[in-house]
Amino acid sequence: MRYVSTRGTAPVLEFEDAVLAGLARDGGLYVPEEWPQFSAVQFRAMRGQPYADIAFQIMQPFVDGAVDDDTLKSICDESYNGFSHDAVAPFQQLDDNLFLLELFHGPTLAFKDFALQVLGRLFDTILARRGERITIVGATSGDTGSAAIEACRGREAIEIFILHPKGRVSDIQRCQMTSVTEANVHNIAIQGTFDDCQDLVKEMFNDEDFRSEQNLSAVNSINWARIMAQVVYYVSSALSLGAPDRSIAYAVPTGNFGDIFAGYVASKIGLPIERLIIGTNTNDILARFMETGAMEARDVVPTLSPAMDIQVSSNFERLLFDLYGRDGRIVSQALTAFRESGTMTAPSDVLDKARELFAAARLDDDGIKAQIAATYEKSGVIVDPHTATGLHAAQICAPDPSVPVVSLSTAHPAKFPDAVETAIGIKPSLPPSLVDLLERPERLDTLPNDLSVVQKFVRERATNK
Ligand SMILES: *Cc1c(COP(=O)(O)O)cnc(C)c1O
């Protein structure tokens, strides 16, 4: 399986190099040259199998021998062994045809564990074989940092540096990162905002000397392996509800478009998906695009669902690539225009194509609280603010009532206790494994928002010279 860049001019790579590269050299994102196909017979045979076994079968054609079958099988087993629910991704039925898919039973209580647990192990396997080491630098506004740290802690070939904005992540999110004691984990609190952190990371990647000296790698959802691993829970959940003999709709709280793009990939490999419903918060660029065909960036507004406080969803580029007939030149032109002017309008045939599968709805903070309360009153289930945006969109954009709608529950409500408490007056409690989290000793360094200071820190701490 070869991987091509969405902007058409970067070298075509095999899986292993695409995973290590993260961003393509022409600024694009890697996607498979063609979509592997699964037949209805193959899907039916997976029904009822353990999650890790389905994961192996779905990922195998994408990995395509870069990791041998036995190793890939153990990576799948080990990645999902640490989940606290036997089903890995269990359902809660909310209504006749509305299901919550709980994706928060991993070690850091958000869906990002599903992909990062796999990615950490893939990195390890590939690097050990090559005799190489990497330095991971990433910025987080909350959930990605802890999931990446958890996946990379103690791994021989990896040094991981996670930047978070000092004082601007929740206590739980901070402690999930800073209570990790392995020596290869480095938490940096930046005196600045999340955007400052992200800019520092981008500048480190753009500094060619630093990038090659440190062998920098990325763990955000521009990394193809993350999308690949997320396709699995679409398949496993759809099979439980009767696919491939029946079509299923999904509602997805969306920020960087990684999670819902995995749903798109599931449909491309042959899973019957009736509709993919984008849930946004007040930062609703994707919902506006679906209404008008115009992508128009605005300032990011902080909301109760911070993991979705994003204006430019990087993975949307992967969808645009397909919508524009896989012509990297047009994608590149459209995105250059967007970067320069802040707007981009898709031609009507492209918008029509997007609307064949996608729908979208937005929810502001008052709506989020109302949705948390309504779900609790109706079914006794407590959902987090991100999940609430998805549930709202699921109801607004549901197709024909005979089609089951699966709404993805992306985080445990105890990760966002304040928002939940204002909505229903109950503070959700952390699961047993994390009850003492806030009392654990913390390890972090505070640095100014200054590229040279941060680079010096990384150089000194990384053991791979
Ligand atoms: C990251 C995240 C999202 C958004 O997912 P994308 O793949 O960026 O669209 C939604 N909910 C939670 C809880 C998250 O951590």
Side-chain angles (χ1 to χ4, degrees), residues 271-286:
L271 193 70
I273 292 191
E274 183 75 16
R275 185 169 296 175
L276 290 168
I277 302 165
I278 301 165
T280 80
N281 60 26
T282 305
N283 300 291
D284 61 347
I285 185 169
L286 292 170

Side-chain angles (χ1 to χ4, degrees), residues 241-305:
L241 294 174
D245 303 300
R246 180 187 201 196
S247 187
I248 315 288
Y250 285 85
V252 187
T254 297
N256 237 338
F257 208 76
D259 201 1
I260 197 162
F261 188 76
Y264 172 79
V265 176
S267 80
K268 283 300 187 189
I269 65 174
L271 193 70
I273 292 191
E274 183 75 16
R275 185 169 296 175
L276 290 168
I277 302 165
I278 301 165
T280 80
N281 60 26
T282 305
N283 300 291
D284 61 347
I285 185 169
L286 292 170
R288 286 183 282 119
F289 174 82
M290 292 302 298
E291 279 157 18
T292 65
M295 288 264 282
E296 191 201 351
R298 296 184 183 162
D299 287 340
V300 176
V301 180
T303 71
L304 294 175
S305 47

Side-chain angles (χ1 to χ4, degrees), residues 84-233:
S84 63
H85 197 292
D86 285 345
V88 182
F91 279 124
Q92 284 263 14
Q93 186 160 6
L94 295 185
D95 215 331
D96 283 352
N97 251 342
L98 179 62
F99 300 82
L100 264 189
L101 185 64
E102 293 185 351
L103 300 177
F104 53 71
H105 296 285
T108 70
L109 312 182
F111 82 94
K112 293 189 169 73
D113 289 323
F114 275 84
L116 283 162
Q117 285 292 315
V118 172
L119 183 60
R121 290 175 170 85
L122 277 175
F123 274 148
D124 230 20
T125 306
I126 294 171
L127 293 167
R129 189 173 57 218
R130 292 185 168 203
E132 287 176 19
R133 299 175 52 77
I134 54 170
T135 299
I136 290 170
V137 289
T140 189
S141 57
D143 293 334
T144 306
S146 55
I149 286 173
E150 190 61 41
C152 294
R153 65 193 294 176
R155 297 200 181 280
E156 273 299 309
I158 302 175
E159 293 290 328
I160 178 164
F161 293 82
I162 297 293
L163 282 58
H164 71 266
K166 187 174 174 66
R168 296 183 201 226
V169 298
S170 76
D171 291 344
I172 291 172
Q173 289 177 322
R174 188 190 67 249
C175 290
Q176 281 186 310
M177 300 191 280
T178 58
S179 64
V180 175
T181 53
E182 276 84 351
N184 71 326
V185 172
H186 312 274
N187 279 289
I188 305 177
I190 293 291
Q191 291 166 321
T193 63
F194 172 61
D195 286 338
D196 295 330
C197 296
Q198 218 164 11
D199 287 346
L200 287 165
V201 169
K202 266 187 219 148
E203 288 170 65
M204 286 190 265
F205 271 92
N206 287 338
D207 180 340
E208 279 298 332
D209 291 341
F210 186 77
R211 181 175 179 164
S212 49
E213 163 207 307
Q214 291 295 327
N215 212 4
L216 290 189
S217 276
V219 285
N220 52 9
S221 56
I222 61 167
N223 196 309
W224 170 256
R226 280 191 56 182
I227 306 290
M228 169 187 83
Q230 288 170 202
V231 176
V232 178
Y233 49 74

Side-chain angles (χ1 to χ4, degrees), residues 329-342:
R329 212 170 23 105
I330 303 184
V331 173
S332 179
Q333 280 165 7
L335 289 163
T336 307
F338 179 64
R339 207 176 42 236
E340 281 163 8
S341 68

